[in-house]
């Protein structure tokens, strides 16, 4: 077993994936493990299940702007708790925020989206947008 000064793995920093740029001030290099999302397509809708462990319902927000559905979560720690419970040897929980965006298009309105947060999972349901009819093929004259 390696000493804790090396983190989870001795080679974490040495062989870090250069293409992996997902970092969060809340969870550092482990930010890529945050907000894991499953997206299901049903006959009439899209269903998203977003993992947000450790967050309370009032710390999570869902916004729709310019066709982007943005999920954000912010967490703060109680500083007074530290004085009551003694001396910390290791502290891994931090205050901060994280967010993730999905492009869903301009045809869905906020009133059409349903969201529910329960047991650390945010469930979002949105209807499928009706496909736009393309104009029938018409010849374009060439000058």
């Amino acid at each position: 077993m390696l000493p804790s000064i090396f983190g989870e793995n001795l080679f974490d920093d040495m062989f870090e994936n250069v293409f992996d740029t997902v970092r969060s001030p809340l969870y550092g290099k482990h930010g890529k493990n945050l907000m894991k999302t499953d997206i299901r397509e049903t006959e009439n809708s899209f269903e998203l299940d977003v993992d947000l462990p450790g967050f309370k319902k009032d710390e999570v927000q869902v916004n729709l702007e310019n066709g982007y559905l943005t999920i954000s979560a912010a967490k703060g720690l109680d500083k007074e708790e530290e004085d009551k419970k003694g001396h910390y040897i290791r502290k891994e929980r931090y205050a901060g925020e994280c967010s993730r965006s999905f492009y869903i298009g301009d045809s869905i309105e906020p009133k059409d989206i349903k969201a529910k947060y329960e047991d650390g999972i945010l469930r979002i349901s949105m209807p499928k947008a009706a496909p736009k009819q393309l104009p029938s093929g018409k010849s374009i004259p060439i000058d």
Side-chain angles (χ1 to χ4, degrees):
M1 187 156 122
L2 296 172
S4 64
I5 60 168
F6 292 117
E8 293 177 15
N9 185 341
L10 175 63
F11 302 107
D12 272 354
D13 295 325
M14 186 185 243
F15 294 108
E16 187 174 351
N17 185 352
V18 295
F19 299 108
D20 186 14
T21 58
V22 178
R23 287 195 180 254
S24 163
L26 181 60
Y27 290 99
K29 67 182 174 184
H30 300 290
K32 66 182 177 236
N33 297 325
L34 190 68
M35 297 183 93
K36 294 222 182 241
T37 304
D38 295 335
I39 303 173
R40 279 185 314 280
E41 180 179 9
T42 65
E43 188 175 330
N44 299 319
S45 66
F46 290 103
E47 312 286 327
L48 283 76
D49 291 339
V50 183
D51 283 348
L52 291 167
F55 288 98
K56 297 175 185 168
K57 181 180 175 181
D58 61 341
E59 296 173 331
V60 178
Q61 283 191 327
V62 180
N63 296 311
L64 178 62
E65 188 174 338
N66 298 326
Y68 285 91
L69 181 73
T70 302
I71 302 159
S72 56
K75 183 167 228 20
L77 294 178
D78 186 9
K79 298 291 183 188
E80 293 177 12
E81 189 176 310
E82 185 174 329
D83 296 335
K84 296 177 189 175
K85 305 247 176 154
H87 176 71
Y88 283 104
I89 296 171
R90 182 175 175 129
K91 207 168 176 184
E92 296 180 340
R93 298 181 307 142
Y94 299 97
E97 61 185 60
C98 56
S99 68
R100 188 162 183 193
S101 296
F102 300 93
Y103 183 73
I104 61 171
D106 295 330
S107 59
I108 297 177
E109 296 291 324
K111 63 180 170 67
D112 299 329
I113 299 173
K114 306 290 184 237
K116 181 179 181 181
Y117 185 71
E118 187 176 56
D119 297 328
I121 299 173
L122 176 64
R123 290 186 165 83
I124 300 173
S125 176
M126 66 188 93
K128 284 185 179 178
K132 293 183 179 178
Q133 293 293 331
L134 296 176
S136 59
K138 294 187 179 183
S139 295
I140 299 173
I142 300 174
D143 291 330

